[in-house]
Amino acid sequence: MLYTNPSESSDGSMDAPTQFETEEYLNLIERTVNSILQSELTMTQQYASNQPEGFSNHIKNIAIVGATGTSGKYIVEALLANGKQKVTAITREGGSATVPAGVTVKKVNYDDPSTLVSALQGQDALVITMSVRAPPDQQTKLIHAAAEAGVAWILPNEFGYDSANESLCNDIFPGAGKLQYTSLIEQLGKSKWIGFVTGFWYEFSLGGSPDRFGFDFHKREFIQIDEGTQPIPVTTFPMVGKGVANLLGLPILRQDENDRLPCLSDFGNKFCYIASFVLSQKDMLDSVLRVTKTRIEDWKITKENSKERHERGMARVRGGDYSGLAIGMYSRMFFPDGSGNHAETRGLDNDKLGLPKEDLDEYTEIAVKKTMEGILDGYQSGNS
């Protein structure tokens, strides 16, 4: 018997539940909890050593959407460098993008689901990297196709802020946001998802526009948000690539009960958190001064309140002006409550993935150079 509602009296009011109904309800809760615990116990007891003959404990075939995009090209580069898997680029029919040697190309038509399913047949994992401006149903179509094709692992279009932080997400994209896609994957029940959380891309965010981290390298102007001391995690493009490649290079299951090394299943239907650096705006400014060989006196510095700046940007978005998205999104990460710092709230998985340490000034110099060359101008793709 499932407990649904308390008894309804003849006048339409609700009576208190009877003792029998209450006991049944408590029993239902107990059975549900026990079922969940047993399911988790069963999952933790799965080892490569007791799988059926022919079981492969590593991902062999990876499809990627956005293989030549802002972050996708670094993921492809790292996958090829690891040399552990066959990489397939999913591209639109009629597209002219050129992929690196060693990458197979499958052309698709998003208006014809059968082409998506066909392209994903035989793939063990699907990595989705798309612009925030991509049609929202595009990722939905990919997820449905992956389920039909039997793709076991999906990395949805995350690669940005922490989607598990509900208040953070609601302040940027109210409503279902990115979680609708992980929920869909679970509902279809054919794949496991891994949300790859990187924080903002450092080179892209430091340069190109003061709407991001506040820097205008051409004018030597800097917008300080609050006191400029709130740290947030940031990740370089190469680290994004290495992170994904190393994650998908992990064994799927531990070998046996004595194996304590990380495995892909540790991250199933969960988020994986990485960062190259955890920096405040003042940390960034110090690096910029070192790289540009300038002094603080050489810069015009203005100060803005994080919450006011965030609201100003999002008001523009609500009015249909999406140029305000960068201002709203970046400012939100610097709120003084620390909610934008997933390194502090969640911890980092860098060590589990064997990721290297990076040199801050090296990537600051790259950002400055690309900005001065006009490579980072505009808000063309941006991570989210």
Side-chain angles (χ1 to χ4, degrees), residues 17 187 237:
Q187 290 167 13
F237 286 130

Side-chain angles (χ1 to χ4, degrees), residues 213 225-226 230 232 281 306 330-336:
F213 283 161
I225 300 175
D226 297 332
Q230 176 59 51
I232 63 170
Q281 276 191 302
S306 58
Y330 279 85
S331 300
R332 178 60 183 85
M333 297 304 121
F334 287 110
F335 275 19

Side-chain angles (χ1 to χ4, degrees), residues 64-101:
I64 179 168
V65 176
T68 60
T70 306
S71 61
K73 63 184 178 183
Y74 290 93
I75 295 173
V76 169
E77 180 182 297
L79 288 169
L80 293 176
N82 278 6
K84 296 180 178 180
Q85 297 107 351
K86 180 179 178 181
V87 181
T88 297
I90 307 297
T91 65
R92 289 181 178 274
E93 292 179 350
S96 58
T98 302
V99 302

Side-chain angles (χ1 to χ4, degrees), residues 203-277:
E203 308 96 309
F204 177 87
S205 302
L206 188 69
S209 170
D211 291 351
R212 301 169 194 167
F213 283 161
F215 290 89
D216 187 327
F217 293 131
H218 295 282
K219 298 179 180 179
R220 286 188 181 172
E221 294 179 353
F222 172 58
I223 300 171
Q224 178 182 301
I225 300 175
D226 297 332
E227 300 306 314
T229 56
Q230 176 59 51
I232 63 170
V234 296
T235 304
T236 67
F237 286 130
M239 188 71 93
V240 172
K242 291 172 185 175
V244 172
N246 288 8
L247 173 68
L248 295 179
L250 292 174
I252 297 171
L253 299 173
R254 289 185 173 82
Q255 187 60 32
D256 53 38
E257 61 273 14
N258 297 315
D259 187 353
R260 296 291 182 267
L261 295 176
C263 67
L264 193 62
S265 292
D266 291 342
F267 298 96
N269 290 350
K270 298 177 182 177
F271 289 89
C272 178
Y273 297 89
I274 72 165
S276 294
F277 317 107

